[in-house]
Amino acid sequence: MKLKATFLFVLLLNITFGYAQEDCATKLSLMVESAKAKAYDAAYPQLQSLRKDCAKYHYGIYAYGEKVLKHKVDNSSGEEKKAFIADYAKLYSEAQMYFSSKFPKGEYMGKAAQLNYDNKELLGIQNEDLYNQFDAAYKADAATFDSAKSLYVYFKLMVGLFDEGKKPASDLFNKYDDVVERIDAITESYQVKLNKYVAKEESGAALTSKDKKYKANYEANIAAFEKVSGSVDAELGSRANCENLIPLYTKDFEANKENAVWLKRSVSRMFYKECTEDPLYEKLVKAYDAVESSADTKYFVGTILFNKGKVNEAMNYFKESFDLQTDPLKKAKLANKIASSLKKKGRYGEARQYFEKALKLNPSNKYPHVLIASMYASSANNCGDTNFNKRAVFWLAANEADRAGGKGSSYAKSYRAKAPTKSEIFSAGNAGQTIKIGCWIGRSVTVPSL
């Protein structure tokens, strides 16, 4: 008898559960249909019913629910808008509670913080509280805190707190490094994806419509994060000048002289802010090299020797640095840095070699073509035997700048304006002929046809 009663109970439970599942499926289908039709007001009560009765049923409740609540926030005001904003944040919490793999904390805590920031006047939230919200999202899961806008706002809030005396310089500089490193990591991930399509194009294969769509998406994302990177640098501005950095790092050196991360960040910042003439820079570099010898440390040792005029010795360190680096994108960045150092010293031939290595390693970054073109243009007066041939170098510079695509077009136009005119080509009678350009350039250029 007991066994029969138990069986009937289990059967009724399964039937009830089956009906509940079917009911949840129906409700979700209706909400999704409304949301897809952008009938968000109709979808709203369906969403609320799903959250109440079917919270664990399917992650689509929260994926589409986000769109529904965004509409309600965007189309309300005053106390009603406040309530929808609070419910929006609650939706994210529920999504993370039931479907954490689909709704990572860094991304969705960041979205909630961004929503509060975008409505900070209505909500009356102070900047320090907003910063703490972004900071909590970053610390919860930095790997998924990947909104370009939120990364910028996060750092902007830190700058504001620093200016108000609420955050010390060390916190400001550390947060700058956190944000820049995150931006670099995201940008590199898009560059890896983009390079596949660039390589396919350069091999002569045609891109499919799907390929073109992905390529355009990756290019747009790279451009967005490059823009944010520039904005973050602008926010930091002169706050990270040598007058501020040197006493700070001098004070903190003893406590951090075996901290590889601190040393790397300090050396990098001193280098990029051109504080390399101060004895502290050399001290930091040597400590960094002793604690964690790497491609980075060899490069920075090379820069010290380079600045002291020991160019040949520096070149050995640069080569060692380049050979030690194995990651293609980091190797490309390193090649660009070495090339830029050589360019500043007028060692154009060696600089071009490293710029070309960078282009091969990261073909989606075409900017080195612009820098090679600028070296050609700077050498025009020294690399020709006649006035015509000297100015012909500008054609070579223009052709090189053209290879950079959009960024290079304005440079190419200015270089062509400095090259021989059509009347000068006619007078020389050499249209269509090839001119060999000497000195370090060692390349040829064809005179345009009339």
Side-chain angles (χ1 to χ4, degrees), residues 172-191:
L172 173 68
F173 299 146
N174 285 335
K175 192 49 56 187
Y176 171 82
D177 288 324
D178 286 342
V179 170
V180 168
E181 286 169 12
R182 186 76 197 106
I183 290 170
D184 285 348
I186 296 168
T187 304
E188 285 177 10
S189 71
Y190 285 121
Q191 286 175 333

Side-chain angles (χ1 to χ4, degrees), residues 131 134-135 138 150-158 175:
Y131 173 80
F134 282 106
D135 197 43
Y138 176 82
S150 292
L151 282 162
Y152 169 69
V153 170
Y154 182 31
F155 184 67
K156 183 180 180 179
L157 287 166
M158 166 57 85
K175 192 49 56 187

Side-chain angles (χ1 to χ4, degrees), residues 10 21 63 116 123 177 194 207 213 254 257 355 366 384-385:
V10 171
Q21 289 287 88
N116 286 337
L123 300 172
D177 288 324
L194 176 60
L207 297 184
K213 183 179 177 181
E254 282 302 316
K257 63 184 179 183
F355 279 134
K366 299 182 181 296
D385 52 355

Side-chain angles (χ1 to χ4, degrees), residues 411-427:
Y411 292 97
K413 184 177 179 181
S414 68
Y415 293 143
R416 287 196 172 92
K418 297 175 183 178
T421 62
K422 286 185 177 182
S423 61
E424 288 171 320
I425 295 170
F426 180 79
S427 298

Side-chain angles (χ1 to χ4, degrees), residues 7-265:
F7 174 76
L8 286 170
F9 174 75
V10 171
L11 181 62
L12 286 169
L13 189 66
N14 285 338
I15 291 169
T16 303
F17 180 72
Y19 281 135
Q21 289 287 88
E22 186 178 340
D23 186 47
C24 289
T26 301
K27 286 181 178 179
L28 179 58
S29 178
L30 289 170
M31 187 194 78
V32 170
E33 188 178 334
S34 296
K36 283 184 174 179
K38 297 185 178 180
Y40 297 118
D41 290 328
Y44 179 69
Q46 298 161 353
L47 168 64
Q48 299 304 73
S49 178
L50 283 162
R51 290 168 73 186
K52 180 175 178 287
D53 301 325
C54 310
K56 299 178 183 179
Y57 174 66
H58 195 275
Y59 72 89
I61 296 167
Y62 306 97
Y64 283 95
E66 183 181 357
K67 295 179 181 181
V68 173
L69 279 179
K70 184 179 185 303
H71 170 81
K72 302 301 278 186
V73 169
D74 291 344
N75 292 275
S76 59
S77 59
E79 293 302 315
E80 185 184 36
K81 186 165 189 169
K82 282 185 183 180
F84 283 130
I85 290 169
D87 200 30
Y88 207 136
K90 187 181 176 187
L91 181 82
Y92 287 152
S93 297
E94 292 165 358
Q96 288 159 23
M97 184 188 306
Y98 301 124
F99 300 98
S100 57
S101 63
K102 298 286 186 181
F103 301 92
K105 284 187 175 181
E107 179 181 352
Y108 283 88
M109 287 174 68
K111 282 186 175 184
Q114 186 65 54
L115 183 65
N116 286 337
Y117 177 84
D118 291 340
N119 295 279
K120 63 179 181 176
E121 291 180 8
L122 172 68
L123 300 172
I125 305 177
Q126 299 300 309
N127 284 340
E128 192 164 11
D129 291 333
L130 287 165
Y131 173 80
N132 290 336
Q133 289 178 33
F134 282 106
D135 197 43
Y138 176 82
K139 288 176 177 175
D141 188 6
T144 62
F145 188 93
D146 55 8
S147 160
K149 181 180 179 182
S150 292
L151 282 162
Y152 169 69
V153 170
Y154 182 31
F155 184 67
K156 183 180 180 179
L157 287 166
M158 166 57 85
V159 171
L161 294 174
F162 169 77
D163 289 345
E164 292 171 19
K166 294 179 179 178
K167 294 286 184 182
S170 57
D171 284 2
L172 173 68
F173 299 146
N174 285 335
K175 192 49 56 187
Y176 171 82
D177 288 324
D178 286 342
V179 170
V180 168
E181 286 169 12
R182 186 76 197 106
I183 290 170
D184 285 348
I186 296 168
T187 304
E188 285 177 10
S189 71
Y190 285 121
Q191 286 175 333
V192 168
K193 295 171 182 175
L194 176 60
N195 282 340
K196 294 177 184 178
Y197 298 102
V198 173
K200 185 176 179 179
E201 270 187 321
E202 291 184 348
S203 71
L207 297 184
T208 65
S209 58
K210 190 175 181 181
D211 289 342
K212 290 176 182 177
K213 183 179 177 181
Y214 279 120
K215 181 173 178 282
N217 177 262
Y218 298 144
E219 287 172 337
N221 276 292
I222 289 169
F225 279 98
E226 284 178 347
K227 184 177 179 180
V228 168
S229 181
S231 297
V232 167
D233 282 339
E235 283 292 335
L236 183 64
S238 61
R239 295 170 184 85
N241 55 29
C242 299
E243 289 74 18
N244 289 332
L245 294 175
I246 292 167
L248 175 66
Y249 295 151
T250 300
K251 176 174 71 70
D252 293 345
F253 178 76
E254 282 302 316
N256 292 280
K257 63 184 179 183
E258 294 183 358
N259 182 337
V261 173
W262 184 88
L263 289 166
K264 178 182 179 179
R265 288 179 165 189

